[in-house]
Amino acid sequence: MRSKLKELPMNQCTFITATGTDIGKTYYLCKLLKKIRDYRSINIVKPIASGINLTRLLESDTGKILQVMDKEVTLENFKAITPWYFKEPLSPHLASKASGNEIDFNSLKEFCMNLITDGETIIEGVGGIMTPITYQYTNLDLIRSLPCSVILLTGNYLGAISHAFSAIEVLLIHKVSIDKVIINESLLPSISYDDFKTIINLNYVGLTVEFMPRD
């Protein structure tokens, strides 16, 4: 059996990340917000986004978040949730370099810390757990710099078990508290939810696993 989960203290920040890109982080966040928005006041941010077309903000992930929050999808509201956005659909370290406005990691960390200090906060990361934000820092580095626990999303496509185990291992090695693993049903699933949940629970005792079916 691999690393057993450690009981780490919970805090008022949750970071939503994934085993890779296009796994369903925004979709999950929007479903979560629909359940809690009427009775909980929470700061919601997606600090970094690539592939942004300013003429089609409604179709962006940040636009979808704003709509669920019943906020108008204006550029001002967009920037409040996503202050670092880039036109090129590339990894942030490349997209920001192409824009001529490279991300300053300390400024990013300070932005997130100010929100956490202000109250309960949910942060949606960009790409996967090891996606580079700059040439020196990844999402993992940002998570480790903040008092956050993690919700990890994966699919149930071919290869997802290896990707999920790799992500869980790196989080545990760096002593990041994992709230739960969400298995988002893939377009072409290769393993059932029950089998996936069983193999995770056998290897990581005590880890909560939930299934998110496709609508």
Side-chain angles (χ1 to χ4, degrees), residues 19 22-24 153-164 181-197 199-200 209-214:
T19 55
D22 292 330
I23 297 295
L153 269 74
T154 184
N156 58 345
Y157 53 85
L158 183 64
I161 294 175
S162 176
H163 296 164
V181 173
I182 305 295
I183 300 173
N184 185 21
E185 185 178 18
S186 299
L187 184 61
L188 297 173
S190 72
I191 183 171
S192 72
Y193 164 64
D194 288 338
D195 286 338
F196 206 158
K197 176 181 171 66
I199 196 169
I200 290 177
V209 183
E210 297 178 2
F211 184 62
M212 184 167 64
R214 298 182 68 87

Side-chain angles (χ1 to χ4, degrees), residues 50-174:
S50 301
I52 297 300
N53 184 337
L54 293 180
T55 66
R56 304 173 69 176
L57 290 182
L58 278 170
E59 300 173 16
S60 68
D61 287 346
T62 302
K64 295 171 184 175
I65 294 169
L66 287 170
Q67 291 175 72
V68 172
M69 296 171 66
D70 293 326
K71 291 187 177 181
E72 187 178 358
V73 184
T74 63
L75 184 56
E76 180 181 5
N77 286 340
F78 180 97
K79 289 181 177 180
I81 291 180
T82 308
W84 288 272
Y85 60 93
F86 309 101
K87 178 181 178 181
E88 299 297 331
L90 302 170
S91 176
H93 75 296
L94 295 175
S96 62
K97 183 178 181 180
S99 75
N101 181 29
E102 295 189 50
I103 299 169
D104 180 79
F105 184 78
N106 288 328
S107 297
L108 172 62
K109 181 174 69 172
E110 182 179 2
F111 171 77
C112 295
M113 280 300 302
N114 287 338
L115 290 168
I116 296 168
T117 302
D118 181 58
E120 188 175 3
T121 302
I122 297 178
I123 301 171
E124 182 190 330
V126 58
I129 182 71
M130 296 303 293
T131 292
I133 295 171
T134 72
Y135 276 85
Q136 292 181 296
Y137 297 100
T138 66
N139 277 318
L140 177 64
D141 293 307
L142 179 59
I143 292 167
R144 293 179 62 205
S145 74
L146 303 172
C148 286
S149 56
V150 160
I151 293 176
L152 176 68
L153 269 74
T154 184
N156 58 345
Y157 53 85
L158 183 64
I161 294 175
S162 176
H163 296 164
F165 277 18
S166 296
I168 293 169
E169 282 291 324
V170 75
L171 289 168
L172 294 180
I173 288 170
H174 290 282

